[in-house]
Amino acid sequence: MDAAGTTPEPETPTQSGRASLGEVACRYQADEIRPEDLPMVAAEALASGLDTPTLCELAGWPRNADARDIRDAFEQALSESGIELPDPGLARRHALRRMAARLIDGEIAPAELARDDWWETEVETAEERSFVLLIPQCGCCIEYTLGLDQLTWAAELRIAAVALTSSPPIGPSC
């Protein structure tokens, strides 16, 4: 029971599907989801209770459909579902937090961060800045670019990742 003595209403499948599709929209905007994966995302959204004409259409498309067509249909399906694409910068900052969490959980190695352009992410908080400053432009020159041995760098990167994931959430959640 909550503080008022009532039990909160359970989340309906449509609410759950809309929340999931909203998270996918954020990950899509941050380039974490490939266009060829979006037809399956549409099928999963339908299974969770969302139902729009374009979502139904997209769910039936093959993975090898034209990427531009898939992106256009996905963005139309979002619009029909009442979901706005987040600002690309905000989506990228959320992706940075997810990446930091994956690093902490051991799902990725520190050197894997240098494989993407994370170091170019526009940051707004001190925690984001501390984390991004430790990400080199390429994996081959971690020691050379940072002036640290790999063990020291990995430890400092994990400390910065913990600080980032522990900091207050940014903007609208996604």
Side-chain angles (χ1 to χ4, degrees):
M1 292 191 139
D2 64 17
T6 62
T7 304
E9 290 295 319
E11 192 173 272
T12 66
T14 302
Q15 290 170 326
S16 174
R18 186 170 283 113
S20 295
L21 197 56
E23 180 181 334
V24 169
C26 185
R27 293 182 64 219
Y28 164 79
Q29 191 73 322
D31 293 327
E32 292 181 287
I33 295 182
R34 301 177 308 210
E36 62 264 23
D37 295 331
L38 294 174
M40 182 56 73
V41 166
E44 291 168 354
L46 287 170
S48 72
L50 286 179
D51 189 7
T52 72
T54 308
L55 205 53
C56 291
E57 180 184 342
L58 181 57
W61 287 9
R63 291 175 55 85
N64 62 352
D66 182 81
R68 288 180 303 249
D69 292 340
I70 291 175
R71 281 194 282 273
D72 289 346
F74 179 69
E75 291 177 18
Q76 177 64 34
L78 289 175
S79 177
E80 292 171 2
S81 300
I83 298 170
E84 290 185 33
L85 278 173
D87 171 76
L90 179 63
R92 188 68 174 173
R93 290 174 62 212
H94 280 286
L96 185 70
R97 284 177 169 265
R98 287 189 295 274
M99 184 66 67
R102 290 180 60 212
L103 178 72
I104 293 166
D105 293 342
E107 295 175 20
I108 59 169
E112 290 181 55
L113 294 176
R115 293 187 187 153
D116 200 351
D117 58 355
W118 293 107
W119 59 274
E120 291 183 323
T121 304
E122 291 190 31
V123 297
E124 292 185 18
T125 68
E127 293 84 6
E128 291 170 340
R129 194 170 298 103
S130 295
F131 185 66
V132 168
L133 285 173
L134 289 167
I135 301 173
Q137 294 182 20
C138 69
C140 63
C141 54
I142 291 170
E143 183 178 335
Y144 182 76
T145 351
L146 301 173
L148 303 171
D149 66 80
Q150 293 233 359
L151 292 176
T152 302
W153 169 70
E156 289 185 7
L157 191 60
R158 280 193 173 81
I159 290 168
V162 168
L164 176 57
T165 58
S166 301
S167 66
I170 53 168
S173 181
C174 68

